Amino acid sequence: MSRNVAESTAGELPGRFGPYGGRYVPETLIPALDELTLAWAEAREDPDFTERFQVLLRDYVGRPSPLYLASRLSEEAGRKVYLKREDLNHTGAHKINNAIGQALLAKRMGKPRIIAETGAGQHGVASATACALLDLECIVYMGSEDIRRQQPNVERMKLLGAEVVPVEAGARTLKEAVSAAIRDWVTNVADTHYIIGSAVGPAPFPELVRDLQRVIGDEARDQALQAEGVLPARVIACVGGGSNAIGTFTAFVPDEEVELIGVEAAGLGLDTDKHGASLTAGNTSVLHGSLSAVLTDEEGQILEAHSVSAGLDYPGTGPEHAHLRDIGRARYVAVSDKDALAAFRRLSRLEGIIPALESSHAIAWLLGEGRVGEGDGGYDVLCLSGRGDKDLAEVLGMEDIQ
Amino acid sequence: MSADGRTNTGTERIAAAFAVARGEGRAALMPYMMGGFPDRESSLAVARSYVENGADLIELGVPFSDPLADGPVIHAAAVQALEAGTKLGDVLAICREVADRVPVVLMVYTNSILGGAGPEAFAARAAEAGACGVIVPDLPFGEDESIRAAMDAAGLAVVPLVAPTTLPERRDEICRVATGFVYLVSSVGTTGERSEVAADLKELVEGVESKSEVPVAVGFGIGSPEQAATVGQIADGVIIGSRLVRIAGDAEPGGVAEAVGSFMTETAAALAVEAASSRTVT
Ligand SMILES: Cc1ncc(COP(=O)(O)O)c(C=O)c1O
């Protein structure tokens, strides 16, 4: 890293969203985070870089993704609903927007080795895909329990040339995979970039991931205005780490008349210890390098999360969401496993679209607690963050779905 | 206690411990232990054994569920301690038992400070238990001044970490505000034993020493008395973590104190011999 990097970031307060965010990581990583902060600040202003990113988003990912007026869903929801079709992206979810952007950035920074974590495998597949495309080495950390549950995605990653490293610690799921990736990064920081999969982690990651995902909301806002001439009443997205939600919300944040709703996983219920609703039912604490809403016990120990959807099975959330919650700009709600599973099936039958279990949480809220009375003139935009192919085996394995 | 009968601050007690070692021409020996590991009783025995077998200071770990700076050995020890129900209060009880004989510095992650009733309450509890300072491995310099202020107000040292990757300007800044001592991470990576002492360690230590008013202790990776002696030649203090935790974990029940004690005795002797031989040379 050059001396300029240190000078230009010296004394600057690293990214905070209100009190949230920051860089709660071992000292060893601080220079790499400074370097990344500067590299992103430069890259985003560089026309060659942005052009290359835009072209890949268009020709490789398939953007812009459609904003689809879901008529039969609308009837059931009581008002017009548009689905932002991130499920139609290459690799089947919004994760690819971030993975390609960060892989391009790593390439630009001269880091040949990429690490990533994955829960359900969507971000792992997206990272493996971006690395194949850009000829980068790719190592994906994945809890051994998730490896067992998500075998097809493991095979996809291997086919794409990635090495999948099983993580045996703790509950052997997403939280431990992120920890393992951070430990790898601490050890191999000189030649390695960590493509974190959500709007979490130490600064500048939450901001970087938001910037790369905001294309969702930027497109949706234009498309919605084109279709309806007015802004939507509500914008709805599911929240795991919060990347599809912050990507969808960002363009609408200045539009104060638009209600922003993030849907978390209530798992077996908020009154049990088996859920993933850190914004609705967590504490202010540190997880994976940032201060945010986290599920902890009374001594600050991180609790295991639970959700039927692996992508929402995480005890923390992005710091910007905690801030949007506190200032009242966004509202966060939670939906149970059971309701999400029902919505998974319902959308399949209503629209011929099999949603990811994560996205099914947003649908479930729309059809449940979020249902509005007839005759309301407004309309909603809902981010359909991914498709449900990856979830078929798991859902079909549950008897209550038939 | 100082001569006039007032309790010294944690910072002063740490300085005094380093001064004693320096007076003997050797580096201070600072063993690490995980509070509540292998179990509560045994970990108290470990602390006592450290006191009796040459520890100048003790680094006492507060178990945390997601310790990002730690390698597999200490991580597993934390998990085991937590699974056995170890709470902050249990760790502070160990601190209280030995703190009047050897200065204790708590190795504690941010969440244990923020959790419960917040930084001031944590600092008050730690000071009341006789701790001299804190090392917070996931709170790099400049990150959260409220935690530093709370520790300062309670007379607790805030020991900063400097890594091999830390750039000179930042390193100088860290040294300028360090209290207690500076913890120099000897190699890039998490805690854990290494087969060799980093080649550029001398340079790293000198870089810190030239800017720091407080002593420099080296940790991460030191796994044998020989390595300790080598590091003791160049630094003011030697921290031994994973190796001792491993010994404590592998020992027969009831034999924990003896197992860590014999490693400590050997290491203390190696540091003293190295000091004696370097004195005859110079
Ligand atoms: C389709 C889909 N939606 C949502 C998520 C949750 O992540 P985030 O909250 O970062 O969008 C995931 C994560 O794996 C996902 O695969």
Side-chain angles (χ1 to χ4, degrees), chain A residues 179-264:
Chain A
S179 294
I182 293 176
R183 289 194 184 93
D184 176 312
W185 205 32
V186 172
T187 308
N188 300 297
V189 62
D191 70 342
T192 300
H193 175 67
Y194 175 25
I195 302 189
I196 204 162
S198 190
V200 299
F205 280 114
E207 214 175 311
L208 170 61
V209 174
R210 177 203 63 203
D211 290 350
L212 293 170
Q213 290 290 6
R214 68 167 293 160
V215 63
I216 304 172
D218 286 341
E219 287 175 6
R221 191 175 181 281
D222 285 351
Q223 291 165 321
L225 282 173
Q226 193 124 51
E228 293 287 331
V230 292
L231 287 166
R234 302 185 302 191
V235 170
I236 305 156
C238 67
V239 180
S243 69
N244 90 87
I246 204 70
T248 309
F249 291 173
T250 297
F252 294 98
V253 166
D255 304 321
E256 281 178 24
E257 68 274 32
V258 178
E259 200 184 351
L260 306 175
I261 291 147
V263 186
E264 298 192 290

Side-chain angles (χ1 to χ4, degrees), chain A residues 30-369:
Chain A
I30 294 298
L33 294 171
D34 283 341
E35 185 188 10
L36 182 60
T37 304
L38 187 71
W40 178 235
E42 284 175 2
R44 60 188 296 182
E45 301 302 327
D46 176 355
D48 287 345
F49 180 89
T50 49
E51 160 85 10
R52 190 144 180 242
F53 184 44
Q54 295 314 322
V55 168
L56 284 174
L57 287 182
R58 186 190 68 209
D59 300 342
Y60 188 76
V61 176
R63 304 206 71 92
S65 65
L67 187 74
Y68 163 67
L69 174 58
S71 317
R72 295 191 64 210
L73 177 67
S74 300
E75 257 172 56
E76 192 141 325
R79 77 149 50 134
K80 253 187 197 176
V81 181
Y82 286 85
L83 298 178
K84 180 60 175 165
R85 299 291 306 275
E86 294 300 301
D87 61 312
L88 293 178
N89 291 342
H90 180 43
T91 70
H94 68 292
K95 299 281 181 188
I96 191 76
N97 304 326
N98 169 51
I100 292 211
Q102 286 203 48
L104 277 176
L105 189 58
K107 195 91 181 166
R108 183 186 158 98
M109 292 167 73
K111 307 253 179 183
R113 183 174 177 271
I114 298 296
I115 54 173
E117 87 295 335
T118 199
Q122 286 306 107
H123 176 60
V125 167
S127 298
T129 299
C131 289
L133 176 70
L134 298 173
D135 192 21
L136 294 160
E137 183 187 355
C138 184
I139 291 123
V140 180
Y141 288 93
M142 188 170 187
S144 57
E145 174 61 14
D146 286 337
I147 288 182
R148 191 189 59 74
R149 291 190 294 190
Q150 309 286 339
Q151 201 57 40
N153 270 344
V154 175
E155 297 308 328
R156 285 167 86 193
M157 286 185 264
K158 288 183 178 165
L159 195 60
L160 291 160
E163 182 191 344
V164 180
V165 180
V167 179
E168 301 292 350
R172 303 182 176 87
T173 53
L174 180 58
K175 171 175 78 100
E176 308 300 339
V178 177
S179 294
I182 293 176
R183 289 194 184 93
D184 176 312
W185 205 32
V186 172
T187 308
N188 300 297
V189 62
D191 70 342
T192 300
H193 175 67
Y194 175 25
I195 302 189
I196 204 162
S198 190
V200 299
F205 280 114
E207 214 175 311
L208 170 61
V209 174
R210 177 203 63 203
D211 290 350
L212 293 170
Q213 290 290 6
R214 68 167 293 160
V215 63
I216 304 172
D218 286 341
E219 287 175 6
R221 191 175 181 281
D222 285 351
Q223 291 165 321
L225 282 173
Q226 193 124 51
E228 293 287 331
V230 292
L231 287 166
R234 302 185 302 191
V235 170
I236 305 156
C238 67
V239 180
S243 69
N244 90 87
I246 204 70
T248 309
F249 291 173
T250 297
F252 294 98
V253 166
D255 304 321
E256 281 178 24
E257 68 274 32
V258 178
E259 200 184 351
L260 306 175
I261 291 147
V263 186
E264 298 192 290
L268 302 184
L270 295 184
D271 52 347
T272 72
D273 60 359
K274 295 233 173 304
H275 62 79
S278 48
L279 287 158
T280 324
N283 300 311
T284 297
S285 203
V286 172
L287 176 62
H288 295 141
S290 61
L291 185 74
S292 189
V294 184
L295 301 179
T296 65
D297 72 8
E298 69 288 350
E299 291 213 321
Q301 306 290 348
I302 312 294
L303 301 174
E304 296 294 343
H306 164 84
S307 171
V308 66
S309 80
L312 306 188
D313 193 350
Y314 183 69
T317 197
E320 193 166 4
H321 286 295
H323 180 55
L324 290 175
R325 176 197 63 186
D326 285 6
I327 63 172
R329 182 62 194 91
R331 183 154 73 90
Y332 296 88
V333 296
V335 157
S336 70
D337 284 355
K338 187 161 160 283
D339 292 349
L341 283 163
F344 177 87
R345 199 167 48 158
R346 195 75 199 120
L347 190 71
S348 302
R349 299 278 172 91
L350 280 175
E351 296 288 345
I353 296 171
I354 302 174
L357 275 177
E358 291 80 11
S359 327
S360 301
H361 285 71
I363 302 285
W365 182 80
L366 179 84
L367 295 178
E369 200 185 302

